[in-house]
Amino acid sequence: VAGAGGGCNDVQWCFSQVKGAIDDDVAEADIISTVEFNHSGELLATGDKGGPCQPAPVPRGVQRVQAPSRATNPSSDYLKSLEIEEKINKIRWLPQKNAAQFLLSTNDKTIKLWKISERDKRPEGYNLKEEDGRYRDPNTVTTLRVPVFRPMDLMVEASPRRVFANAHTYHINSISVNSDCETYLSADDLRINLWNLEITDRSFNIVDIKPTNMEELTEVITAAEFHPNQCNTFVYSSSKGTIRLCDMRASALCDQHSKMFEEPEDPNNRSFFSEIISSISDVKFSHSGRYMMTRDYLSVKIWDLNMETRPVETYQVHEYLRSKLCSLYENDCIFDKFECCWNGNDSVVMTGSYNNFFRMFDRGYRQDVTLEASRENSKPRSVLKPRKVCTGGKRKKDEISVDSLDFNKKILHTAWHPLDNIIAVATTNNLYIFQDKLN
Amino acid sequence: MNASAMDVNTEAKRILAVSISKLYASRSQRGGLRLHRSLLLSLVMRSARDIYHSAYAQAAAEEAAAAMDADKELEKVSEPLVKSPEPEKVELECREREEDKEVEEEEDMEDVFESETDSEDKENMNPSRHSRKRRGNTSAAPDFLPSKRARLEPGEERHAVLLGAVVPLGAMGLGSCRVGESLNAFSINRVAMPAC
């Protein structure tokens, strides 16, 4: 069981596999934009800015499925002749109901439902066809045989099943499947819509924060998620650092929140950039549904759904960047949207940082660790060494100083296997899989 | 003005310049304007503008007080001179130019937020404002806006921005912006923008 038996510092994380180009010359199409394990942990999906489906085996039966984005041509918003980015913003798996797996993917404007099927056998020995598929001349057929299934290399295929389009004026930032397995929500900057998975030509608007006069715009929606157990409950985060919890039973339009979670700003930390760094980039419920986690630029906060006034835990991801905010604003890094994730039993949380570092915080043991995803540390079974950033004064051996950090190497997307200590960490264009040495 | 206030001021000016260039750069990026990013940029600009403005209001007040004292001294020792009307005139002129620029930038900022919207939003527009085009002499672009054809070097861009750089924050529903007034009091060398 993930996290049991010791804090996150007791787990020895080993390199398992890496996928992606080795060279630093990153093609735009290869930039990984999302990573997600399915509910059983057998499949791992990644989305990027383009490219056909390229499934690849990952250790211990975890298959990597790439949600195809080039399958549709780069589309245009016909009202404004705007080229729509094909980058996949989010992938969410549906809970499995039968042998087939389904996932939802979304780009800026359109959501698609894909069926994922695995094939590890193929029929051989047709009478009328050659092995390569060409038809045989019937006159050459002199014997009759029964085709048989023979094992083949596992192939994972994704085929589009439904397209949910034209419901969003602004850029979609989140999708979330309801625990009822029938509906899902999609959120853009100003609105949240509710869909039925079977119905593509209609959606219901459940949140609308667009002001009558756009001049009065003060905040946008940054992320949204359904509660894992309560099908009537969802949350959405804002650019002002607030999270609103809504109950769909209260009214059809959930503009009035049931709860609002907000921590008062520390006046000592006020700067030009206070608003930007308080903008929440990700919100995730714990598996239990008791807590939720938010990520803003410098920290991760855990909230108890029963307490709206402040988070119950706050973890500093890279506090040493607080004095560098101006430079990070100039080079656009301050706008980076980091995600966060829980481990299977909600005892450890993980998020990314710069220089290909990622951080884990053990909630129970109050430990944290910084690890690095790099090719240099990628020998098979090699154990990852904790890293440390030197914040001032004398730099110790093996420490790295803040000014030496590479801000082009950022880990925005991470995922934790739902049952085991296996993690997927996406650098700009590489996907790393690490696992517990004990596995 | 003391040294640390000067630092903050310089910082505010720099941040304003960076922000404005980011805002205009984002117009041409693929995928269109990102509303979230535009909003954050405008919040930073407002913070910088507020700090810049309050610092200069303070400095102007200090200077005015010092000038008044100096005047009083002069009156005492020399023949009384007709008080020069120029400072007031300059202020009035500045304000008029201010308002024109403000209006242009309000519309500019609206463009930023509204270019994302659909035709359905036309109903939300103020009916009295029937045209979204800039008023005034449309053939002469405001001098602080990067011309579509002219390309500025980074250093030049900053100068051009600072020239009467009234920050386009009318869209935030804030009061009249008086930064330009203070900036006009400086003598900043004009940079000739090359016509292409």
Side-chain angles (χ1 to χ4, degrees):
Chain A
V1 173
C8 65
N9 284 348
D10 292 343
V11 173
Q12 292 192 294
W13 290 99
C14 291
F15 168 77
S16 179
Q17 219 177 94
V18 61
K19 294 288 171 190
I22 293 175
D23 53 61
D24 285 337
D25 191 17
V26 179
E28 181 95 356
D30 297 334
I31 295 175
I32 298 174
S33 53
T34 184
V35 183
E36 199 77 12
F37 278 100
N38 75 336
H39 296 281
S40 64
E42 288 169 353
L43 291 167
L44 178 68
T46 58
D48 63 20
K49 290 195 168 195
C53 182
Q54 286 171 17
V58 170
R60 295 182 72 247
V62 177
Q63 310 297 328
R64 178 164 168 246
V65 176
Q66 201 143 322
S69 52
R70 276 280 161 81
T72 54
N73 298 321
S75 39
S76 304
D77 180 325
Y78 61 90
L79 287 168
K80 294 201 306 288
S81 301
L82 184 72
E83 197 185 352
I84 294 174
E85 275 259 291
E86 280 310 296
K87 177 173 81 100
I88 295 213
N89 296 334
K90 285 280 151 55
I91 287 176
R92 289 289 182 265
W93 291 90
L94 268 57
Q96 190 171 6
K97 283 194 273 193
N98 49 38
Q101 304 265 9
F102 288 89
L103 63 78
L104 281 174
S105 73
T106 184
N107 66 5
D108 280 345
K109 296 285 187 182
T110 305
I111 304 131
K112 293 195 178 98
L113 178 72
W114 302 84
K115 181 175 176 183
I116 310 295
S117 44
E118 295 173 30
R119 195 200 299 264
D120 63 355
K121 292 185 253 300
R122 89 168 142 243
E124 286 176 16
Y126 283 103
N127 294 290
L128 298 175
K129 277 197 288 191
E130 304 285 1
E131 294 304 330
D132 60 10
R134 282 180 304 150
Y135 279 96
R136 292 168 70 184
D137 177 357
N139 299 322
T140 63
V141 179
T142 52
T143 60
L144 200 61
R145 58 184 176 172
V146 177
V148 291
F149 275 101
R150 294 223 187 279
M152 59 178 252
D153 286 342
L154 184 65
M155 201 163 79
V156 182
E157 298 168 323
S159 53
R161 278 292 194 256
R162 295 207 175 84
V163 178
F164 304 87
N166 302 323
H168 284 279
T169 308
Y170 302 94
H171 296 104
I172 298 174
N173 53 52
S174 309
I175 46 175
S176 179
V177 183
N178 201 340
S179 52
D180 67 7
C181 302
E182 289 180 3
T183 56
Y184 74 94
L185 64 76
S186 58
D188 67 27
D189 292 313
L190 297 178
R191 298 190 177 100
I192 301 180
N193 293 334
L194 183 72
W195 302 81
N196 184 301
L197 283 162
E198 304 287 330
I199 299 170
T200 58
D201 61 355
R202 205 174 320 158
S203 69
F204 291 97
N205 177 243
I206 54 176
V207 173
D208 188 340
I209 65 167
K210 182 173 188 288
T212 320
N213 190 350
M214 279 297 272
E215 290 179 15
E216 291 157 22
L217 182 73
T218 55
E219 69 181 323
V220 297
I221 296 169
T222 52
E225 193 176 61
F226 266 119
H227 191 278
N229 311 321
Q230 297 165 16
C231 57
N232 54 291
T233 304
F234 66 93
V235 294
Y236 67 93
S237 60
S238 85
S239 54
K240 273 190 170 173
T242 63
I243 311 101
R244 289 174 175 83
L245 184 140
C246 301
D247 186 336
M248 296 197 292
R249 296 169 303 188
S251 70
L253 190 61
C254 298
D255 280 358
Q256 300 297 318
H257 53 263
S258 300
K259 294 192 183 187
M260 176 144 109
F261 300 81
E262 185 175 18
E263 183 175 29
E265 192 194 347
D266 179 358
N268 296 329
N269 279 335
R270 185 105 191 97
S271 77
F272 288 116
F273 310 106
S274 295
E275 280 113 344
I276 298 190
I277 62 170
S278 65
S279 177
I280 292 176
S281 51
D282 195 16
V283 65
K284 291 264 171 49
F285 277 105
S286 63
H287 293 92
S288 63
R290 166 90 190 266
Y291 299 98
M292 66 179 174
M293 165 167 54
T294 57
R295 176 72 156 96
D296 51 68
Y297 190 63
L298 296 178
S299 67
V300 160
K301 294 178 180 171
I302 313 277
W303 303 79
D304 185 323
L305 291 192
N306 299 317
M307 187 163 80
E308 300 165 61
T309 50
R310 57 179 169 78
V312 289
E313 294 153 39
T314 300
Y315 301 104
Q316 301 302 333
V317 182
H318 36 221
E319 181 69 9
Y320 46 79
L321 296 183
R322 194 180 287 276
S323 55
K324 311 272 177 205
L325 293 179
C326 196
S327 314
L328 294 164
Y329 179 68
E330 288 181 39
N331 65 15
D332 273 355
C333 284
I334 207 172
F335 298 103
D336 286 336
K337 295 190 172 133
F338 291 95
E339 291 173 8
C340 52
C341 62
W342 299 83
N343 75 338
N345 66 3
D346 299 335
S347 60
V348 184
V349 297
M350 172 166 64
T351 189
S353 178
Y354 294 105
N355 209 70
N356 282 348
F357 286 171
F358 57 100
R359 304 262 282 140
M360 290 182 187
F361 302 95
D362 190 311
R363 304 174 58 213
Y365 288 87
R366 292 281 162 182
Q367 294 169 345
D368 63 87
V369 67
T370 304
L371 300 170
E372 181 181 357
S374 70
R375 291 275 175 173
E376 289 78 43
N377 300 333
S378 301
K379 295 175 197 44
R381 313 298 297 173
S382 65
V383 175
L384 291 183
K385 212 170 56 162
R387 305 303 311 261
K388 196 147 162 52
V389 175
C390 164
T391 52
K394 209 162 179 307
R395 185 178 76 87
K396 297 195 189 72
K397 180 170 157 319
D398 286 348
E399 282 186 358
I400 181 164
S401 72
V402 181
D403 297 315
S404 310
L405 294 173
D406 187 342
F407 291 95
N408 291 320
K409 294 185 177 169
K410 53 192 87 171
I411 291 179
L412 304 175
H413 313 287
T414 59
W416 205 308
H417 192 284
L419 304 168
D420 292 327
N421 276 345
I422 302 175
I423 55 175
V425 172
T427 60
T428 307
N429 64 335
N430 284 181
L431 181 72
Y432 289 80
I433 313 286
F434 300 106
Q435 60 188 55
D436 191 345
K437 196 168 184 176
L438 297 172
N439 281 351
Chain B
M1 219 190 320
N2 60 38
S4 67
M6 275 287 276
D7 289 339
V8 170
N9 220 35
T10 317
E11 186 75 354
K13 255 200 293 189
R14 193 160 74 90
I15 289 172
L16 266 174
V18 167
S19 305
I20 291 175
S21 61
K22 279 190 194 297
L23 200 55
Y24 282 102
S26 64
R27 288 181 151 187
S28 52
Q29 81 182 47
R30 191 180 159 199
L33 269 172
R34 315 293 302 193
L35 188 65
H36 185 197
R37 186 187 159 96
S38 306
L39 179 67
L40 294 177
L41 283 175
S42 63
L43 291 173
V44 170
M45 287 197 283
R46 176 169 61 169
S47 295
R49 185 212 69 160
D50 287 347
I51 290 184
Y52 187 78
H53 176 233
S54 64
Y56 266 97
Q58 196 182 6
E62 283 170 11
E63 278 176 27
M68 290 260 285
D69 290 343
D71 276 351
K72 280 190 186 134
E73 290 295 319
L74 281 173
E75 277 176 12
K76 278 184 202 163
V77 300
S78 65
E79 290 174 356
L81 299 164
V82 174
K83 265 219 173 89
S84 166
E86 277 149 23
E88 286 173 17
K89 236 205 267 173
V90 167
E91 249 193 65
L92 278 172
E93 280 170 11
C94 278
R95 241 183 245 130
E96 277 167 16
R97 262 188 287 160
E98 274 315 295
E99 278 159 14
D100 280 347
K101 284 193 178 139
E102 229 177 83
V103 158
E104 278 160 359
E105 275 130 26
E106 266 183 34
E107 291 172 322
D108 230 45
M109 206 53 190
E110 272 168 44
D111 285 355
V112 165
F113 285 143
E114 295 211 15
S115 62
E116 283 241 345
T117 65
D118 216 340
S119 54
E120 75 194 59
D121 290 313
K122 291 213 165 75
E123 74 217 33
N124 289 330
M125 284 176 62
N126 189 340
S128 65
R129 200 200 306 271
H130 40 258
S131 164
R132 284 172 59 189
K133 299 253 184 276
R134 296 195 184 96
R135 293 174 218 161
N137 188 357
T138 51
S139 58
D143 55 13
F144 68 89
L145 282 181
S147 139
K148 280 186 180 150
R149 279 175 271 162
R151 302 190 127 259
L152 292 175
E153 297 307 307
E156 288 177 7
E157 198 165 302
R158 263 180 59 186
H159 280 298
V161 161
L162 292 173
L163 282 173
V166 180
V167 178
L169 291 173
M172 300 307 293
L174 301 167
S176 70
C177 177
R178 303 175 58 148
V179 175
E181 206 168 41
S182 314
L183 285 173
N184 279 327
F186 269 92
S187 59
I188 299 173
N189 292 329
R190 269 186 169 270
V191 176
M193 291 180 40
C196 299

